Amino acid sequence: MLFALICKDKPGSLQVRLDTRPEHIAFLEGLNGDKRLAFAGPFLDADGKPNGSLVVVEAPDLAGAETLSAADPYAKAGLFESVEIRQWNWTFNKPAAS
């Protein structure tokens, strides 16, 4: 099942995000290679700078999604002020299964 990880950065933490980005990208590439990543990208503030993340992952249950979320290098670096994990149903514009 799909889970949306809705992550809000701590105020003033842009440098942590920038410093940790290569490890975060490698983590997402690993999830993608394992076919556990549906999609991902940053939220942006009014100036167009990243201030959070939306990551949608495939996990067997909430505990699995929580484990994936905690393994993200951004989470390990303490970037996030909050992370909301919600089960999600992709209804419209879902790419065809390959």
Side-chain angles (χ1 to χ4, degrees), residues 13-24 73-74 77 79:
S13 61
L14 180 58
Q15 193 60 51
V16 172
R17 176 178 276 276
L18 296 175
D19 292 345
T20 313
R21 189 170 192 278
E23 292 88 358
H24 171 72
Y74 279 168
L79 174 64

Side-chain angles (χ1 to χ4, degrees), residues 21-61:
R21 189 170 192 278
E23 292 88 358
H24 171 72
I25 295 299
F27 172 74
L28 293 179
E29 287 173 345
L31 291 179
N32 199 44
D34 293 341
K35 300 195 183 300
R36 293 187 292 168
L37 179 67
F39 58 85
F43 290 113
L44 304 175
D45 66 14
D47 296 324
K49 294 187 175 139
N51 66 356
S53 299
L54 172 62
V55 180
V56 177
V57 297
E58 179 77 34
D61 52 29

